Amino acid sequence: MHDDFTDFSAIEDELAGADACFYCLGVSSAGRGEAEYTRITYDYTLAAARSLVRVSPGLVFIYVSGEGTDSEQRARAAWARIKGRTENDLAALNLRAHMFRPGYIQPRHGARSRTPLYRLLYAATSWLYPVLHKLAPAHTTTTDHLAQAMLTVARTSADSPRILTTPQINTLATKTPPLPH
């Protein structure tokens, strides 16, 4: 059990030799101040990446960011600027970093958001997903497609773009065999 996400030095031996990191830790910015959101989104992510680059050279680092992230860091929304800064600083490290920017993610197979409002929204709208996906395919994906695309990039990162949007995520997910359930 590790509880200091700003310092991974105590567990670096356990991380040594890893081929890939699927970095999915994140929170909603709703109800959080900019300092707290920065600590979780930026500080934790960069601390993990810096430790991994030291002990696992050549590692593929897959960061789940989000649609609307602003690489220019000029957006009015703090979350978009903070995620943009996180992506930019990951790209500057000596590792193969790929940023996944999904839009709406439909949970599958019992996956549940930890954010109560999101759980409520998913419960109320999950039956509408097929319609939503038909109307906005460039902005919708599923947890299955996201996971499959992440695995594909980890295996073939040299062929993958640095930033992947929802359409690219969905295309990659259909190019490889589905995950077992």
Side-chain angles (χ1 to χ4, degrees), residues 34 68-82 84:
E34 191 167 334
T69 294
D70 180 16
S71 297
E72 300 295 319
Q73 302 175 54
R74 295 183 185 146
R76 285 183 53 198
W79 73 265
R81 290 190 315 273
I82 295 163

Side-chain angles (χ1 to χ4, degrees), residues 83-150:
K83 282 197 178 268
R85 178 177 167 219
T86 304
E87 288 184 0
N88 291 341
D89 287 358
L90 284 171
L93 292 176
N94 187 24
L95 52 73
R96 294 180 296 166
H98 298 273
M99 311 341 157
F100 277 58
R101 291 184 179 178
Y104 176 89
I105 305 168
Q106 177 64 39
R108 295 284 174 94
H109 312 291
R112 291 173 35 104
S113 172
R114 288 191 167 179
T115 305
L117 176 60
Y118 290 1
R119 278 198 310 271
L120 180 64
L121 288 172
Y122 285 133
T125 62
S126 63
W127 62 276
L128 278 173
Y129 178 75
V131 174
L132 181 60
H133 186 63
K134 272 271 198 243
L135 294 173
H139 305 285
T140 58
T141 193
T142 65
T143 52
D144 289 344
H145 279 168
L146 183 58
Q148 189 65 53
M150 290 168 71

Side-chain angles (χ1 to χ4, degrees), residues 34-45:
E34 191 167 334
E36 179 186 13
Y37 189 75
T38 299
R39 188 178 82 251
I40 295 167
T41 302
Y42 179 84
D43 297 342
Y44 290 2
T45 307

